[in-house]
Amino acid sequence: MKMTGSKILLECLRLEGVETVFGYPGGAVINIYDDLVDSPIRHILTRHEQAAVHAADGYSRATGKVGVVIATSGPGATNTVTGIATAYMDSIPMVVVTGQVPTPLIGNDAFQEVDIIGITRSITKHNFLVKDIKDLARIVKEAFYIARTGRPGPVLIDLPKDVQVSTTKFVYPDTVELRGYKPTYSGNVRQVEKAVQMILKARKPVIYVGGGASLADATGELKNLAEAIQAPVTTTLMGMSAFPRRHPLSLGMLGMHGTYYANMAVTESDLLIAIGARFDDRVTGKIATFAPHAKIIHVDIDPTSIKKNVRVDLPIVGDLKEVLHRLVLKLAESADEVDEQVRETESWRREIDDWKQQHPMFYKASDTVIKPQFVIEKIRELTQDDAVITTEVGQHQMWTAQFFAFSHPRTFLSSGGLGTMGYGLPAALGAQVGCPGRQVIDISGDGSFQMNSQEIATLVQHRLPVKIAILNNNFLGMVRQWQQMFFDKRYSQTCMELPIDFVKLAEAYGATGLRATSPDEVEEVIRKALDTPGPVIMEFKVAREENVMPMVPAGAGLNEMVLAS
Amino acid sequence: MRHTITVLVENEFGVLTRVAGLFSGRGFNIESLSVAPTLDPTISRMTIVTSGDDQVLEQINKQLNKLISTIKVIDFTGQDYVEREMAMIKVTATEKTRAEVLRIADIFRAKVVDVTPRTYTIEITGAPSKLEAIIELLRPMGIKELVRSGPIVLGRGSKGWKGTE
């Protein structure tokens, strides 16, 4: 049967199991939107294309499915760029479909024409311009395959308008044949055996986990490994919910705003087992003093991540779930040696426990002013560890990472690699669409919130009961903190001088707005928000010049932490 | 250190930009790049000459392999290979120098492919060092224009890659 390009696209999406797409219509995708009317696919209309991409990203992170976005050509396409770059940096599987001017007009500076293939080449895992309708079904199949396999990432399909309206016989390929793209899944057997030997020899092992562990759904295998060898586990921001924070082996986050004991453990370790992490500069601090005594095993599906920033003694390229499973099985074959190793490393765990006692994560509580950390602890307490939390970017993001104590995988969604302000609200929107039965909360600063606050409208329109906690200090807090600590308190352009009435803003959109101005109001506001149907904005007027501590100054070693401001 | 890398890629629009962008986006330098279809018209062969230490080269190889359009990467570092480059040189040929230009061309087994009353255009192929040698000899005569293709390479021996691996 012959079908139009727009119908073929929607049929391909359906066959890929896509139930929901996020997007924004326009002239270059009007045919797709027309066919959406008759399609079973749910469309969520955001108020900005950037938010549509973040929403698809949040949907993907919370559910593990591929997020899908539709945007029009020109400005619609360029508005997706920040969202795509965010997803690319954090390896989120996503397919973005952009409209394009008709093929005869491409390159002619047509109305709303932009070379989105060129623009997104460096921020997508791959991108396609569909010049012939006969290629469309194959390209969609390949796009989903590329997005979700290997190291996941965003794939863009640029679809000219004439291809959308022309017709061809629809055949969806059963298989994908990409002769140059064959991700390694199994991991080298000998390398796994070598890893076992290195683990058995180690006396101060530390497991360092990145976002890859959640992406590979390898959190169970990770826990098995950690418990088998009783190795302490530290995570990056992206790896935050991959290992339960209240597990006795958890060290919390390492790096610039990591725990004292995580950073000390890495510095003193003699074996670092890096799992799905990429040694970001926010994690390593000064490279020369990063894990100076440690042999490094690095397990990752992406070979380019290995030896990129730090020396690696044993690389293992493969799917984390599979490699960790085999590693645990191999360790089980040497059960006696493992038992002995666990006995030998007892003193190492005691040393770490001492660090935990001496320098716990803490903040100075107050009876008179709301401390942001207190709000975060209260949200955790009142949601009983069961909420999906998104954050924007800044101080509130770090406090959430430090004080929330995540227990379950895929419950902490945050822009790690790109650090995109304005991510959290649309990501929460997407997570709520993907997980309708769960409580989704966006923890935000007043600065970040204002970058995509228009999406309250989307929440209200689609009756998405996302709760937004704005920790309002009337500052761009993290930059202000740096200005305080390193620029002699010259607060250049970091004071948000116009105080916004966020309660009224919520009400203007038809949402509920609540405000707490003193510590004794915090719990009541959170309880009321959780009990109120529909979207709620909670504004907490927090201590204005509270700092995120501890902190490794940029360029310093992990063991050179500043513990208090 | 100088490295010669061959990349077999899908013969599609935009692939050259993907490869070039990979280098520019990471601050790696391309000294030369030549590209054309292979025996299999769906595959193009790129020969890239670049430089960098071992770590840079490892990243280049890995990043090239990571491109979806890349079929195979062959790094010729430390291998035995045949290398050829072509140049066309338009050199001034006055009454005094015409004979000398022809003599140099003859020594280097170059061909004269265009003649005017004031110039010879010489075509030469060989290893880049050979091209550099003739350029240095012709430079005093006055080189008006020069074009070089960048090297292409094939590994020595009977093994070959036809695109069906």
Side-chain angles (χ1 to χ4, degrees):
Chain A
M1 191 179 78
K2 281 198 162 188
M3 286 169 74
T4 60
S6 60
K7 280 203 164 69
I8 288 174
L9 172 73
L10 294 176
E11 186 58 11
C12 293
L13 296 183
R14 192 184 68 75
L15 291 170
E16 286 296 330
V18 175
E19 293 163 350
T20 306
V21 298
F22 301 86
Y24 205 102
V29 285
I30 200 162
N31 299 87
I32 300 171
Y33 275 83
D34 186 54
D35 286 329
L36 262 173
V37 174
D38 305 319
S39 163
I41 294 172
R42 181 185 186 192
H43 180 274
I44 305 288
L45 172 69
T46 56
R47 269 39 179 182
H48 192 291
E49 288 90 348
Q50 182 192 346
V53 186
H54 291 324
D57 175 314
Y59 175 89
S60 176
R61 291 189 207 219
T63 63
K65 299 175 187 169
V66 178
V68 180
V69 181
I70 301 173
T72 193
S73 66
T78 53
N79 278 347
T80 66
V81 167
T82 301
I84 295 172
T86 304
Y88 181 70
M89 288 292 279
D90 290 343
S91 308
I92 305 305
M94 179 184 290
V95 172
V96 180
V97 180
T98 48
Q100 182 55 280
V101 300
T103 45
L105 294 184
I106 292 177
N108 289 359
D109 292 341
F111 175 65
Q112 291 197 331
E113 183 198 352
V114 75
D115 172 19
I116 196 66
I117 294 291
I119 289 170
T120 59
R121 194 168 281 127
S122 62
I123 52 164
T124 49
K125 189 172 170 189
H126 196 61
N127 56 18
F128 298 91
L129 169 62
V130 188
K131 288 185 9 187
D132 187 336
I133 189 173
K134 291 192 182 72
D135 296 329
L136 177 57
R138 173 185 58 80
I139 284 174
V140 177
K141 179 90 181 172
E142 288 177 1
F144 275 86
Y145 178 72
I146 292 167
R148 62 162 73 103
T149 56
R151 178 177 180 172
V155 178
L156 184 136
I157 302 171
D158 200 25
L159 193 53
K161 186 158 175 159
D162 55 327
V163 177
Q164 294 169 37
V165 296
S166 59
T167 59
T168 192
K169 190 179 168 193
F170 174 61
V171 180
Y172 202 52
D174 295 329
T175 54
V176 171
E177 285 179 34
L178 290 161
R179 50 189 164 181
Y181 177 69
K182 292 181 175 58
T184 306
Y185 289 105
S186 53
N188 184 287
V189 177
R190 282 194 188 164
Q191 299 291 81
V192 173
E193 283 168 4
K194 276 188 197 165
V196 170
Q197 294 312 312
M198 286 170 74
I199 288 168
L200 292 175
K201 276 186 198 153
R203 291 297 169 263
K204 295 184 172 183
V206 171
I207 299 174
Y208 150 53
V209 180
S214 295
L215 289 169
D217 285 325
T219 53
E221 289 75 8
L222 166 68
K223 195 157 167 257
N224 291 344
L225 173 68
E227 288 176 348
I229 60 174
Q230 287 294 301
V233 179
T234 180
T235 73
T236 66
L237 183 77
M238 288 297 296
M240 185 58 62
S241 61
F243 191 78
R245 179 66 182 94
R246 270 178 283 192
H247 193 287
L249 290 168
S250 172
L251 299 173
M253 185 169 71
L254 82 164
M256 182 173 274
H257 292 298
T259 62
Y260 173 83
Y261 38 96
N263 285 345
M264 286 305 292
V266 169
T267 303
E268 294 299 318
S269 66
D270 68 353
L271 179 70
L272 194 64
I273 308 168
I275 293 168
R278 59 192 165 85
F279 296 88
D280 181 307
D281 53 285
R282 284 291 191 266
V283 157
T284 61
K286 191 167 143 192
I287 290 276
T289 55
F290 178 75
H293 316 295
K295 298 265 185 203
I296 298 179
I297 300 172
H298 191 173
V299 190
D300 206 295
I301 194 142
D302 179 7
T304 63
S305 283
I306 296 175
K307 292 190 196 169
K308 187 169 60 181
N309 300 328
V310 298
R311 70 192 156 74
V312 169
D313 299 280
L314 182 71
I316 305 179
V317 176
D319 172 60
L320 299 183
K321 194 176 179 72
E322 196 165 326
V323 173
L324 295 185
H325 178 65
R326 283 185 25 221
L327 194 51
V328 172
L329 287 182
K330 272 276 156 206
L331 283 161
E333 288 173 16
S334 312
D336 291 344
E337 289 170 84
V338 171
D339 285 347
E340 192 190 329
Q341 197 254 9
V342 169
R343 279 194 297 276
E344 292 281 345
T345 53
E346 179 59 41
S347 59
W348 170 234
R349 287 185 293 278
R350 271 205 304 273
E351 194 176 348
I352 289 171
D353 285 341
D354 286 345
W355 286 327
K356 284 184 179 177
Q357 298 292 325
Q358 287 160 16
H359 299 291
M361 189 58 74
F362 92 107
Y363 67 94
K364 205 169 169 185
S366 168
D367 293 334
T368 53
V369 62
I370 302 175
K371 289 298 185 94
Q373 303 93 327
F374 172 68
V375 177
I376 288 163
E377 284 185 331
K378 274 286 163 205
I379 292 173
R380 181 191 59 70
E381 184 188 314
L382 296 173
T383 54
Q384 296 167 332
D385 279 358
D386 199 32
V388 175
I389 302 294
T390 71
T391 72
E392 309 287 340
V393 166
Q395 287 184 310
H396 65 277
Q397 179 189 32
M398 290 300 122
W399 284 317
T400 305
Q402 291 177 331
F403 290 95
F404 203 89
F406 292 92
S407 303
H408 307 292
R410 297 188 180 278
T411 54
F412 178 62
L413 320 182
S414 193
S415 169
L418 197 66
T420 307
M421 291 174 72
Y423 169 83
L425 170 52
L429 185 169
Q432 188 75 79
V433 170
C435 308
R438 298 196 71 170
Q439 181 65 69
V440 180
I441 299 177
D442 172 34
I443 298 179
S444 176
D446 53 308
S448 276
F449 175 75
Q450 290 180 69
M451 283 221 175
N452 266 322
S453 60
Q454 78 284 347
E455 296 309 321
I456 307 167
T458 313
L459 296 179
V460 173
Q461 181 187 333
H462 292 280
R463 299 195 177 96
L464 298 166
V466 170
K467 314 303 176 201
I468 302 156
I470 303 173
L471 307 179
N472 186 1
N473 57 12
N474 275 105
F475 269 124
L476 298 176
M478 192 60 99
V479 184
R480 184 212 57 75
Q481 177 174 335
W482 280 49
Q483 288 172 338
Q484 179 194 331
M485 294 174 72
F486 310 118
F487 291 85
D488 201 22
K489 285 197 172 188
R490 287 154 60 91
Y491 292 167
S492 175
Q493 300 300 317
T494 44
C495 180
M496 306 292 267
E497 285 175 13
L498 179 69
I500 308 291
D501 187 333
F502 289 110
V503 173
K504 276 190 180 161
L505 182 73
E507 288 165 355
Y509 280 106
T512 304
L514 303 169
R515 179 180 293 121
T517 54
S518 66
D520 56 359
E521 293 169 346
V522 168
E523 184 167 336
E524 190 193 337
V525 161
I526 298 169
R527 280 188 190 282
K528 196 167 174 191
L530 294 175
D531 290 342
T532 303
V536 179
I537 292 175
M538 301 171 265
E539 181 190 9
F540 300 96
K541 296 272 195 187
V542 298
R544 292 203 68 203
E545 296 186 59
E546 185 76 7
N547 285 341
V548 182
M549 287 293 161
M551 179 177 186
V552 178
L558 291 188
N559 58 343
E560 298 174 280
M561 297 194 85
V562 179
L563 293 172
S565 54
Chain B
M1 189 183 167
R2 184 176 180 267
H3 298 276
T4 306
I5 300 166
T6 285
V7 194
L8 293 147
V9 295
E10 299 286 352
N11 185 6
E12 295 168 344
F13 63 90
V15 176
L16 177 61
T17 323
R18 285 185 202 283
V19 171
L22 183 158
F23 277 78
S24 64
R26 289 169 178 78
F28 303 148
N29 187 36
I30 296 178
E31 286 177 15
S32 77
L33 191 158
S34 58
V35 52
T38 62
L39 210 56
D40 177 347
T42 66
I43 297 174
S44 283
R45 182 168 179 131
M46 293 183 184
T47 309
I48 301 169
V49 179
T50 185
S51 55
D53 59 23
D54 288 350
Q55 210 225 337
V56 167
L57 195 73
E58 186 175 335
Q59 266 300 310
I60 288 173
N61 280 327
K62 284 177 175 175
Q63 296 286 355
L64 284 170
N65 268 306
K66 190 172 167 180
L67 290 178
I68 307 291
S69 313
T70 299
I71 297 163
K72 191 173 177 66
V73 180
I74 308 164
D75 179 5
F76 282 97
T77 310
Q79 292 189 39
D80 202 8
Y81 59 90
V82 188
E83 183 179 28
R84 290 291 180 273
E85 185 176 2
M86 180 176 169
M88 288 195 285
I89 309 161
K90 191 177 287 183
V91 60
T92 308
T94 62
E95 261 184 49
K96 272 201 268 179
T97 60
R98 295 183 86 82
E100 180 65 2
V101 170
L102 285 179
R103 207 165 61 84
I104 292 169
D106 189 44
I107 292 167
F108 281 85
R109 277 180 273 173
K111 275 197 294 186
V112 175
V113 291
D114 188 44
V115 182
T116 72
R118 291 159 186 261
T119 61
Y120 282 127
T121 299
I122 292 167
E123 170 200 311
I124 182 162
T125 57
S129 57
K130 180 182 168 185
L131 270 56
E132 272 143 33
I134 192 171
I135 290 165
E136 284 314 305
L137 286 169
L138 293 175
R139 196 188 296 276
M141 320 283 174
I143 294 174
K144 293 179 79 77
E145 201 173 354
L146 168 75
V147 59
R148 294 176 68 161
S149 65
I152 53 170
V153 301
L154 272 183
R156 284 194 187 272
S158 59
K159 277 206 313 191
W161 198 91
K162 284 197 295 186
T164 52
E165 220 170 52

